[in-house]
Amino acid sequence: VPIRTRINISVFDVLGNHVETIINNEVYPGIRSIVWAPDRSVVSGMYFYTIQAGDFRQVKKMVLLK
């Protein structure tokens, strides 16, 4: 994160249903790591996550293995 900005990271299933918002806060500049620890109701499978910070928005996919 190069400047102080509000960041939102959300997780969605393959059907586009919102699973969880991991972070939705204003953060200060620096390198960050985020660990997603879903509860037991979230099953193994493919998920998508969105990262939004200012004008930047990106969607990536990930696989959850339990």
Side-chain angles (χ1 to χ4, degrees):
V1 180
I3 60 171
R4 182 177 170 182
T5 187
R6 174 166 289 283
I7 292 185
N8 179 296
I9 301 175
S10 296
V11 178
F12 299 87
D13 64 14
V14 294
L15 298 176
N17 299 315
H18 182 263
V19 175
E20 185 175 351
T21 297
I22 298 174
I23 187 170
N24 187 17
N25 289 325
E26 189 167 354
V27 297
Y28 292 93
I31 297 173
R32 303 278 187 260
S33 293
I34 303 293
V35 176
W36 180 42
D39 61 23
R40 292 181 178 254
S41 65
V42 180
V43 298
S44 296
M46 184 179 300
Y47 292 88
F48 294 92
Y49 63 95
T50 62
I51 300 173
Q52 297 178 6
D55 294 334
F56 176 80
R57 182 169 192 259
Q58 190 170 43
V59 178
K60 296 278 191 166
K61 62 182 173 180
M62 67 178 164
V63 175
L64 174 64
L65 296 175
K66 286 191 167 184

